[in-house]
Amino acid sequence: MAKVPAAVVAAGGLVGGYGVARWTRKRQLGGVVLAAAGAVAAQQWKQQAGGKAAGVLTATYVAAFAGSHPLAKKVGAWPAVFGVAGAVALASWAVADRRG
């Protein structure tokens, strides 16, 4: 079975977490999706690029989640989520995925 790149897992966690929270109206459930994808991505980042890079990428993931909230007030919720998901995916690819 082919391994899903960490960039896809991380971006999917941001988009999926928001989508689940919005459609179920249960923010906690969206948080579970966000956290689970973040944990899987962090594990892949550590395997591919080492602990320090995994720490930086995990912090980027969390900052993207936090930053999507004020950004959503300016550009709308979905554009903000897709924007930060793309930024995290790009960072993941540049730091970890392209090595593997």
Side-chain angles (χ1 to χ4, degrees):
M1 187 163 140
K3 185 173 168 183
V4 177
V8 174
V9 173
L14 289 161
V15 173
Y18 175 68
V20 167
R22 181 169 178 142
W23 290 315
T24 65
R25 299 185 193 273
K26 296 186 187 317
R27 295 179 76 177
Q28 300 87 347
L29 195 53
V32 168
V33 172
L34 179 79
V40 170
Q43 183 179 18
Q44 287 183 258
W45 291 328
K46 187 175 180 183
Q47 289 173 347
Q48 293 171 346
K52 190 172 185 177
V56 170
L57 287 168
T58 300
T60 302
Y61 183 79
V62 172
F65 166 70
S68 69
H69 292 81
L71 182 60
K73 292 179 181 181
K74 296 184 185 297
V75 301
W78 280 112
V81 170
F82 285 128
V84 299
V88 169
L90 181 60
S92 176
W93 177 83
V95 173
D97 290 334
R98 71 180 173 155
R99 295 176 185 212

